[in-house]
Short mmCIF file of all heavy atoms in Angstrom, two decimals:
data_model
loop_
_atom_site.label_atom_id
_atom_site.label_comp_id
_atom_site.label_asym_id
_atom_site.label_seq_id
_atom_site.Cartn_x
_atom_site.Cartn_y
_atom_site.Cartn_z
N CYS A 529 -73.63 17.63 12.93
CA CYS A 529 -74.24 18.35 11.86
C CYS A 529 -74.54 17.47 10.69
O CYS A 529 -74.12 17.60 9.57
CB CYS A 529 -73.21 19.43 11.36
SG CYS A 529 -72.93 20.77 12.53
N GLU A 530 -75.38 16.42 11.01
CA GLU A 530 -75.71 15.34 10.02
C GLU A 530 -76.52 15.87 8.87
O GLU A 530 -76.47 15.45 7.75
CB GLU A 530 -76.39 14.22 10.70
CG GLU A 530 -75.58 13.51 11.73
CD GLU A 530 -76.41 12.51 12.53
OE1 GLU A 530 -77.67 12.54 12.53
OE2 GLU A 530 -75.87 11.66 13.25
N GLY A 531 -77.46 16.88 9.12
CA GLY A 531 -78.32 17.33 8.12
C GLY A 531 -77.79 18.49 7.35
O GLY A 531 -76.68 19.03 7.49
N ASP A 532 -78.71 18.98 6.46
CA ASP A 532 -78.29 20.11 5.54
C ASP A 532 -79.18 21.35 6.07
O ASP A 532 -80.43 21.36 5.90
CB ASP A 532 -78.63 19.79 4.15
CG ASP A 532 -78.43 20.98 3.20
OD1 ASP A 532 -78.03 22.04 3.62
OD2 ASP A 532 -78.54 20.78 1.99
N ARG A 533 -78.53 22.24 6.79
CA ARG A 533 -79.26 23.40 7.37
C ARG A 533 -79.89 24.29 6.40
O ARG A 533 -80.75 25.18 6.81
CB ARG A 533 -78.27 24.16 8.31
CG ARG A 533 -77.67 23.32 9.45
CD ARG A 533 -78.75 22.96 10.41
NE ARG A 533 -78.06 21.95 11.37
CZ ARG A 533 -77.45 22.32 12.55
NH1 ARG A 533 -77.28 23.67 12.66
NH2 ARG A 533 -76.98 21.44 13.27
N THR A 534 -79.69 24.17 5.08
CA THR A 534 -80.29 25.00 4.18
C THR A 534 -81.72 24.49 3.83
O THR A 534 -82.46 25.15 3.13
CB THR A 534 -79.48 25.12 2.95
OG1 THR A 534 -79.43 23.80 2.26
CG2 THR A 534 -78.07 25.62 3.07
N LYS A 535 -82.02 23.24 4.26
CA LYS A 535 -83.26 22.64 3.90
C LYS A 535 -84.26 23.12 5.01
O LYS A 535 -83.93 23.49 6.18
CB LYS A 535 -83.18 21.12 4.00
CG LYS A 535 -82.29 20.52 2.95
CD LYS A 535 -82.79 20.70 1.51
CE LYS A 535 -81.89 19.95 0.56
NZ LYS A 535 -82.22 20.26 -0.85
N PRO A 536 -85.63 23.05 4.69
CA PRO A 536 -86.59 23.44 5.65
C PRO A 536 -86.49 22.68 6.87
O PRO A 536 -86.25 21.45 6.84
CB PRO A 536 -87.89 23.33 4.92
CG PRO A 536 -87.63 23.35 3.47
CD PRO A 536 -86.13 22.81 3.39
N GLN A 537 -86.79 23.21 8.12
CA GLN A 537 -86.85 22.47 9.26
C GLN A 537 -88.02 21.48 9.26
O GLN A 537 -87.95 20.35 9.90
CB GLN A 537 -86.85 23.38 10.46
CG GLN A 537 -85.66 24.19 10.72
CD GLN A 537 -85.78 25.22 11.87
OE1 GLN A 537 -86.91 25.76 12.01
NE2 GLN A 537 -84.69 25.56 12.56
N MET A 538 -89.20 21.96 8.92
CA MET A 538 -90.37 21.23 8.96
C MET A 538 -90.99 20.91 7.68
O MET A 538 -90.79 21.73 6.75
CB MET A 538 -91.39 21.92 9.89
CG MET A 538 -90.88 22.42 11.26
SD MET A 538 -90.36 21.02 12.28
CE MET A 538 -91.82 20.05 12.41
N ILE A 539 -91.67 19.86 7.58
CA ILE A 539 -92.41 19.41 6.32
C ILE A 539 -93.78 19.01 6.71
O ILE A 539 -94.09 18.61 7.86
CB ILE A 539 -91.81 18.38 5.56
CG1 ILE A 539 -91.54 17.09 6.42
CG2 ILE A 539 -90.36 18.90 4.96
CD1 ILE A 539 -90.98 15.99 5.64
N PHE A 540 -94.76 19.06 5.80
CA PHE A 540 -96.05 18.43 5.97
C PHE A 540 -95.99 17.05 5.17
O PHE A 540 -95.80 17.12 3.99
CB PHE A 540 -97.24 19.30 5.35
CG PHE A 540 -97.77 20.21 6.39
CD1 PHE A 540 -97.76 21.59 6.34
CD2 PHE A 540 -98.40 19.75 7.54
CE1 PHE A 540 -98.34 22.42 7.19
CE2 PHE A 540 -98.93 20.47 8.52
CZ PHE A 540 -98.95 21.92 8.28
N ARG A 541 -96.15 16.06 5.87
CA ARG A 541 -96.11 14.66 5.27
C ARG A 541 -97.52 14.21 5.11
O ARG A 541 -98.36 14.09 6.06
CB ARG A 541 -95.32 13.66 6.12
CG ARG A 541 -95.26 12.30 5.52
CD ARG A 541 -94.61 11.25 6.41
NE ARG A 541 -93.21 11.69 6.60
CZ ARG A 541 -92.63 11.99 7.75
NH1 ARG A 541 -93.37 11.90 8.90
NH2 ARG A 541 -91.32 12.24 7.75
N GLN A 542 -98.04 13.90 3.89
CA GLN A 542 -99.27 13.46 3.63
C GLN A 542 -99.43 12.06 4.03
O GLN A 542 -98.55 11.23 3.75
CB GLN A 542 -99.66 13.53 2.09
CG GLN A 542 -99.74 14.91 1.55
CD GLN A 542 -100.73 15.84 2.25
OE1 GLN A 542 -100.55 16.82 2.61
NE2 GLN A 542 -101.92 15.15 2.34
N LEU A 543 -100.50 11.68 4.84
CA LEU A 543 -100.66 10.32 5.40
C LEU A 543 -101.81 9.61 4.75
O LEU A 543 -101.73 8.39 4.95
CB LEU A 543 -100.92 10.48 6.93
CG LEU A 543 -99.79 11.22 7.74
CD1 LEU A 543 -100.19 11.26 9.28
CD2 LEU A 543 -98.44 10.44 7.61
N SER A 544 -102.75 10.33 4.26
CA SER A 544 -103.81 9.57 3.53
C SER A 544 -104.10 10.24 2.24
O SER A 544 -104.15 11.40 2.09
CB SER A 544 -105.14 9.66 4.42
OG SER A 544 -105.44 10.98 4.64
N ASN A 545 -104.07 9.32 1.16
CA ASN A 545 -104.09 9.84 -0.09
C ASN A 545 -105.21 9.16 -0.90
O ASN A 545 -105.31 7.91 -1.06
CB ASN A 545 -102.80 9.60 -0.92
CG ASN A 545 -101.65 10.34 -0.35
OD1 ASN A 545 -101.64 11.56 -0.17
ND2 ASN A 545 -100.68 9.71 0.05
N GLY A 546 -106.14 9.98 -1.31
CA GLY A 546 -107.21 9.38 -2.20
C GLY A 546 -108.24 8.57 -1.52
O GLY A 546 -108.93 7.88 -2.19
N ASP A 547 -108.29 8.63 -0.17
CA ASP A 547 -109.27 7.68 0.42
C ASP A 547 -110.43 8.52 0.89
O ASP A 547 -110.48 9.73 0.73
CB ASP A 547 -108.64 6.87 1.57
CG ASP A 547 -108.12 7.81 2.77
OD1 ASP A 547 -108.52 8.93 2.85
OD2 ASP A 547 -107.43 7.20 3.56
N GLU A 548 -111.27 7.90 1.72
CA GLU A 548 -112.53 8.56 2.15
C GLU A 548 -112.29 9.72 3.08
O GLU A 548 -113.25 10.47 3.36
CB GLU A 548 -113.54 7.56 2.76
CG GLU A 548 -113.09 7.02 4.10
CD GLU A 548 -112.05 5.82 3.99
OE1 GLU A 548 -111.60 5.55 2.91
OE2 GLU A 548 -111.66 5.28 5.01
N ASN A 549 -111.09 9.80 3.72
CA ASN A 549 -110.79 10.80 4.66
C ASN A 549 -110.27 12.14 4.06
O ASN A 549 -110.16 13.15 4.73
CB ASN A 549 -109.78 10.33 5.72
CG ASN A 549 -110.23 9.22 6.44
OD1 ASN A 549 -111.45 9.16 6.90
ND2 ASN A 549 -109.40 8.28 6.68
N GLU A 550 -110.12 12.20 2.67
CA GLU A 550 -109.62 13.36 2.08
C GLU A 550 -110.73 14.41 2.03
O GLU A 550 -111.86 14.24 1.77
CB GLU A 550 -109.15 13.02 0.65
CG GLU A 550 -107.88 12.22 0.56
CD GLU A 550 -106.65 12.99 1.22
OE1 GLU A 550 -106.51 14.14 0.96
OE2 GLU A 550 -106.06 12.36 1.99
N VAL A 551 -110.29 15.63 2.26
CA VAL A 551 -111.11 16.87 2.23
C VAL A 551 -110.45 17.88 1.34
O VAL A 551 -109.28 18.04 1.55
CB VAL A 551 -111.57 17.42 3.52
CG1 VAL A 551 -112.44 16.32 4.37
CG2 VAL A 551 -110.43 17.80 4.34
N PRO A 552 -111.13 18.42 0.53
CA PRO A 552 -110.47 19.54 -0.42
C PRO A 552 -109.97 20.78 0.27
O PRO A 552 -109.21 21.46 -0.25
CB PRO A 552 -111.48 19.81 -1.51
CG PRO A 552 -112.90 19.50 -0.81
CD PRO A 552 -112.56 18.29 0.09
N TRP A 553 -110.49 21.03 1.50
CA TRP A 553 -110.13 22.23 2.23
C TRP A 553 -109.05 21.98 3.29
O TRP A 553 -108.76 22.97 4.02
CB TRP A 553 -111.32 22.82 2.84
CG TRP A 553 -112.07 21.91 3.76
CD1 TRP A 553 -111.66 21.58 5.06
CD2 TRP A 553 -113.17 21.08 3.51
NE1 TRP A 553 -112.52 20.68 5.65
CE2 TRP A 553 -113.43 20.41 4.72
CE3 TRP A 553 -114.05 20.93 2.43
CZ2 TRP A 553 -114.61 19.44 4.83
CZ3 TRP A 553 -115.07 20.02 2.56
CH2 TRP A 553 -115.37 19.40 3.74
N ASP A 554 -108.40 20.87 3.37
CA ASP A 554 -107.39 20.63 4.50
C ASP A 554 -106.24 21.69 4.32
O ASP A 554 -105.62 21.81 3.29
CB ASP A 554 -106.90 19.25 4.33
CG ASP A 554 -106.14 18.80 5.50
OD1 ASP A 554 -106.50 19.21 6.68
OD2 ASP A 554 -105.20 18.08 5.42
N GLY A 555 -106.00 22.40 5.37
CA GLY A 555 -105.05 23.43 5.40
C GLY A 555 -105.51 24.64 4.80
O GLY A 555 -104.77 25.65 4.56
N LYS A 556 -106.81 24.80 4.40
CA LYS A 556 -107.33 26.01 3.86
C LYS A 556 -108.77 26.20 4.53
O LYS A 556 -109.14 25.50 5.43
CB LYS A 556 -107.48 25.73 2.28
CG LYS A 556 -106.36 25.42 1.61
CD LYS A 556 -106.50 25.38 0.06
CE LYS A 556 -107.24 24.02 -0.34
NZ LYS A 556 -107.35 23.83 -1.77
N LEU A 557 -109.47 27.16 4.05
CA LEU A 557 -110.91 27.31 4.31
C LEU A 557 -111.76 26.70 3.29
O LEU A 557 -111.38 26.97 2.00
CB LEU A 557 -111.22 28.78 4.59
CG LEU A 557 -110.58 29.52 5.76
CD1 LEU A 557 -110.97 31.02 5.80
CD2 LEU A 557 -110.82 28.93 7.06
N PRO A 558 -112.79 26.09 3.65
CA PRO A 558 -113.75 25.62 2.46
C PRO A 558 -114.15 26.84 1.61
O PRO A 558 -114.31 27.99 2.05
CB PRO A 558 -114.86 24.95 3.21
CG PRO A 558 -114.33 24.63 4.59
CD PRO A 558 -113.30 25.63 4.91
N ASP A 559 -114.43 26.54 0.34
CA ASP A 559 -114.91 27.65 -0.51
C ASP A 559 -116.19 28.27 0.02
O ASP A 559 -117.03 27.61 0.66
CB ASP A 559 -115.30 27.10 -1.86
CG ASP A 559 -113.99 26.69 -2.66
OD1 ASP A 559 -112.96 27.15 -2.25
OD2 ASP A 559 -114.14 25.88 -3.60
N ARG A 560 -116.38 29.52 -0.03
CA ARG A 560 -117.50 30.29 0.47
C ARG A 560 -117.62 30.29 1.94
O ARG A 560 -118.70 30.40 2.49
CB ARG A 560 -118.73 29.89 -0.28
CG ARG A 560 -118.75 30.03 -1.72
CD ARG A 560 -120.17 29.94 -2.35
NE ARG A 560 -120.72 28.58 -2.09
CZ ARG A 560 -122.09 28.38 -2.20
NH1 ARG A 560 -122.92 29.37 -2.48
NH2 ARG A 560 -122.50 27.11 -1.98
N SER A 561 -116.47 30.14 2.67
CA SER A 561 -116.49 30.29 4.03
C SER A 561 -116.89 31.62 4.52
O SER A 561 -117.44 31.85 5.75
CB SER A 561 -115.18 29.82 4.71
OG SER A 561 -114.99 28.44 4.60
N LEU A 562 -116.40 32.51 3.74
CA LEU A 562 -116.68 33.98 4.05
C LEU A 562 -117.61 34.52 3.00
O LEU A 562 -117.79 34.00 1.94
CB LEU A 562 -115.34 34.81 4.03
CG LEU A 562 -114.28 34.33 5.07
CD1 LEU A 562 -112.97 35.02 4.80
CD2 LEU A 562 -114.73 34.81 6.45
N PRO A 563 -118.34 35.64 3.44
CA PRO A 563 -118.16 36.40 4.67
C PRO A 563 -118.97 35.87 5.83
O PRO A 563 -119.90 35.00 5.66
CB PRO A 563 -118.82 37.79 4.27
CG PRO A 563 -119.90 37.47 3.29
CD PRO A 563 -119.38 36.30 2.51
#
Side-chain angles (χ1 to χ4, degrees):
C529 296
E530 298 170 343
D532 180 352
R533 301 294 174 84
T534 67
K535 300 292 185 181
Q537 292 173 329
M538 306 301 301
I539 57 175
F540 269 119
R541 179 182 298 123
Q542 295 300 132
L543 300 180
S544 57
N545 296 302
D547 65 15
E548 69 278 5
N549 295 319
E550 288 299 313
V551 296
W553 57 79
D554 195 31
K556 301 181 289 185
L557 295 178
D559 291 342
R560 298 195 298 162
S561 291
L562 296 169

